Amino acid sequence: NVRTVKTHPWPTYTNRVSLNLNGSQSIQLAPSQQYDLKEVYTASIWFKTNTKSSPSDTRLFTFHKDSKQIASTALSVGFENDTIQVQINGIEIIRGKVVAYADNKWHQIALVVNKRKISLYMDGKKLLKFRAKIPAFGTHPASLGSLTGIRKAFIGHIDEFSLFTKDFSPSEIKELFKN
């Protein structure tokens, strides 16, 4: 079950509940290319779950580089078991540290992109720093809570997915996490 969520434009939108995903649904957004901020941006998402992604991996958010039904991934963030991972360009997977996240508490992931320099934070702490070229985003819809449709679906709550048109500094990431 793929649902498209529409909200009122700010400031009339009030967030009263988070998205509760059960592993057989996800949120399909607009075409990925509409979210392509090119070379400098920060993506942030809040989530909570009490379910590890074992035996396969799950995705918190995904942007695609193609228009096909089974589109290649341009950029995706998620988990495989206890390991956080970033997938770029459909094949390159960067695995991070083992993290405790399946504790039914709210956690924040922030991905900071500055050209080819990429940093991933969880709860204000840097977990990954690497260099990679993220391809341009395509027309296949972006997805919250899965790779696409219900493939690699997340079980838990998602809230406050945000894209910012700047690369946040480590202190700004900590402030974003605190607030």
Side-chain angles (χ1 to χ4, degrees), residues 3 6 9 16 19 22 28 31 36 53 66 81 88 94-95 105 112 114 130 134 138 142 144 147-148 155 161 163 179:
R3 297 180 187 171
K6 294 183 180 183
R16 294 190 175 100
L19 300 171
N22 63 12
Q28 186 175 353
D36 196 346
S53 60
D66 291 326
N81 298 318
I88 296 173
I94 297 89
R95 288 184 171 81
K105 295 179 183 173
V112 179
N114 184 328
F130 59 96
I134 298 173
L144 291 179
L147 174 66
T148 185
I155 298 172
F161 177 70
L163 288 171
N179 294 321

Side-chain angles (χ1 to χ4, degrees), residues 30-156:
S32 294
Q33 67 190 14
Q34 291 185 20
Y35 303 100
D36 196 346
L37 301 175
K38 306 299 179 210
E39 295 188 327
V40 179
Y41 56 92
T42 298
S44 172
I45 190 167
W46 286 85
F47 72 96
K48 76 174 178 176
T49 184
N50 59 7
T51 306
K52 289 184 183 179
S53 60
S54 179
S56 65
D57 64 303
T58 63
R59 304 300 167 88
L60 292 172
F61 64 86
T62 304
F63 297 105
H64 298 281
K65 65 178 182 173
D66 291 326
S67 59
K68 301 172 190 162
Q69 177 67 22
I70 301 178
S72 294
T73 303
L75 174 65
S76 184
V77 174
F79 295 97
E80 184 170 9
N81 298 318
D82 287 336
T83 306
I84 194 164
Q85 65 182 20
V86 179
Q87 184 177 24
I88 296 173
N89 204 15
I91 53 170
E92 185 177 357
I93 297 177
I94 297 89
R95 288 184 171 81
K97 300 176 181 178
V98 171
V99 291
Y101 68 92
D103 55 7
N104 211 33
K105 295 179 183 173
W106 284 105
H107 297 282
Q108 185 231 13
I109 297 284
L111 183 78
V112 179
V113 177
N114 184 328
K115 299 181 182 172
R116 291 181 181 231
K117 293 185 249 175
I118 302 166
S119 298
L120 183 104
Y121 296 80
M122 183 168 158
D123 298 341
K125 297 175 186 154
K126 187 183 291 185
L127 298 180
L128 285 171
K129 184 176 183 178
F130 59 96
R131 296 180 66 81
K133 180 173 179 11
I134 298 173
F137 297 173
T139 58
H140 190 75
S143 183
L144 291 179
S146 74
L147 174 66
T148 185
I150 60 170
R151 290 180 56 217
K152 301 184 185 291
F154 175 76
I155 298 172

Side-chain angles (χ1 to χ4, degrees), residues 5-25:
V5 174
K6 294 183 180 183
T7 62
H8 300 287
W10 185 85
T12 58
Y13 174 71
T14 303
N15 183 5
R16 294 190 175 100
V17 295
S18 59
L19 300 171
N20 184 7
L21 303 176
N22 63 12
S24 63
Q25 64 193 110

